[in-house]
Amino acid sequence: MLKREIAKRVFAKEFEACRELDKSERPASETADSKSPNLLISPLGLILNRVFAVGVLTELDSIGLQNEMWKARIVDPTGAFTVYAGQFQPDASIFFSTVQVPAFIALTGKARIYEPEPGSVFVSIRAEEANVVDEEIRNRWVVDTAEQTTDRLEAFSDALASGYRGEILGECLLERGISEELAEGISIALERERAPQEFAKQLKASIREGLKSLNLESEDNEEAKADQKEFVLELLREMGGGKGIDYSAFVDAAVSRGIPEELVEEVVRSLLAGGQCYEPKIGIIRLVG
């Protein structure tokens, strides 16, 4: 019986950077199986076939005849997932035909990659199941995914610092308690990536900003930022932010009420990262809910 791949937690930024794992790069046990699933590998060595993601549904379009295909955009603190569901994913298709945008949603699906020409790569999720969730569940997913990604970043950093490559690196990582799959993935990734440190640095920064947006810092900072965010939220609601407003006009209105422009931009970035508002189009911001 073909083993069902585990759905991996991964941030959008790392997922978007995934590329196809060639069959020649897989273990002999897998390459010998003609039914082995298509696998992707991230710059940090995460090997995946299925994904579990939670975020804010900010865009939803019917792109097929008679609503046979749906395309969705799911935002997390680091970026956005592109998601599709069609007639061969009936549960997900029914969900997308009824859900209202915006909404917090959780979904599982298969990772897909399309390369129409060299250098042009599109990574997406073919949804299997999706459900509406609340902000608390989204926040829990962000924290759990951040912990797993941080562990992977640390293992990747150790691999870089070791100076080893190939089988010797794999053995070294196994001795340090790294799983066999991740050790193998990191070894492959280091053979592929030309500037792995830069991607790791960017991902770390995205995770830090994402966690900040959840107000998980000290109580004093949390209370101060909560007050600032609430003031900005009230102003957004007052100006009709539920329907979408021009960002420049909003900043001007906030500044006219004595709020420093830098503070407005910081709070709006936090709201965007935290999924409490989003950009339905460039220059327009809209509240979620």
Side-chain angles (χ1 to χ4, degrees):
M1 181 179 292
L2 185 63
K3 183 181 70 174
R4 183 176 175 85
E5 292 290 322
I6 296 173
K8 306 286 182 65
R9 295 170 183 260
V10 59
F11 283 122
K13 187 175 185 67
E14 186 174 1
F15 181 71
E16 287 182 312
C18 286
R19 294 297 181 263
E20 188 169 8
L21 182 64
D22 296 333
K23 288 192 175 183
S24 62
E25 296 175 302
R26 302 185 189 187
S29 59
E30 287 198 18
T31 56
D33 184 357
S34 61
K35 294 183 179 180
S36 61
N38 293 325
L39 298 176
L40 304 188
I41 183 170
S42 82
L44 299 183
L46 175 66
I47 296 174
L48 56 82
N49 167 258
R50 298 176 67 245
V51 178
F52 169 56
V54 183
V56 181
L57 173 65
T58 62
E59 296 177 23
L60 181 62
D61 297 299
S62 173
I63 59 174
L65 297 176
Q66 300 179 349
N67 295 336
E68 291 179 349
M69 177 67 74
W70 295 91
K71 179 182 179 181
R73 184 172 187 266
I74 314 297
V75 175
D76 78 5
T78 71
F81 298 95
T82 299
V83 180
Y84 293 94
Q87 59 180 326
F88 297 111
Q89 298 82 37
D91 292 342
S93 293
I94 291 172
F95 171 81
F96 285 126
S97 71
T98 59
V99 69
Q100 297 295 311
V101 178
F104 290 107
I105 75 168
L107 67 89
T108 56
K110 290 187 176 181
R112 290 289 181 263
I113 190 165
Y114 173 57
E115 188 172 359
E117 58 185 47
S120 180
V121 180
F122 299 94
V123 184
S124 64
I125 300 173
R126 184 73 64 163
E128 297 171 334
E129 183 179 355
N131 296 284
V132 172
V133 297
D134 58 26
E135 185 176 4
E136 183 178 351
I137 290 177
R138 190 287 310 267
N139 290 353
R140 186 70 258 167
W141 178 87
V142 171
V143 172
D144 291 344
T145 305
E147 290 175 351
Q148 292 184 16
T149 306
T150 299
D151 288 344
R152 192 158 57 252
L153 281 163
E154 290 177 353
F156 190 79
S157 178
D158 288 345
L160 282 172
S162 74
Y164 298 131
R165 293 294 183 271
E167 292 184 6
I168 297 178
L169 173 60
E171 293 173 1
C172 178
L173 291 173
L174 289 174
E175 290 176 358
R176 298 186 186 187
I178 306 302
S179 71
E180 183 177 355
E181 181 181 272
L182 181 56
E184 179 184 275
I186 290 175
S187 297
I188 295 171
L190 285 177
E191 294 295 331
R192 289 180 161 211
E193 298 297 321
R194 295 183 179 179
Q197 298 96 327
E198 185 59 31
F199 178 81
K201 180 180 178 181
Q202 293 173 4
L203 185 58
K204 285 180 183 178
S206 295
I207 293 172
R208 281 197 299 269
E209 288 302 312
L211 292 174
K212 281 182 182 179
S213 73
L214 303 183
N215 287 327
L216 299 175
E217 302 174 35
S218 68
E219 291 185 6
D220 289 342
N221 284 342
E222 184 174 342
E223 184 175 349
K225 288 196 174 184
D227 291 341
Q228 296 167 359
K229 185 180 293 186
E230 187 58 34
F231 190 94
V232 174
L233 277 170
E234 285 301 321
L235 185 57
L236 273 171
R237 295 189 185 102
E238 181 182 321
M239 295 181 66
K243 297 181 179 179
I245 60 174
D246 181 81
Y247 177 69
S248 297
F250 172 70
V251 173
D252 289 341
V255 171
S256 71
R257 300 191 184 199
I259 306 175
E261 183 174 346
E262 296 80 6
L263 177 59
V264 178
E265 292 178 348
E266 179 183 346
V267 175
V268 170
R269 282 197 301 270
S270 176
L271 292 172
L272 287 168
Q276 291 173 279
C277 72
Y278 68 103
E279 292 183 282
K281 61 176 67 175
I282 296 176
I284 302 296
I285 55 176
R286 180 181 177 185
L287 286 171
V288 173

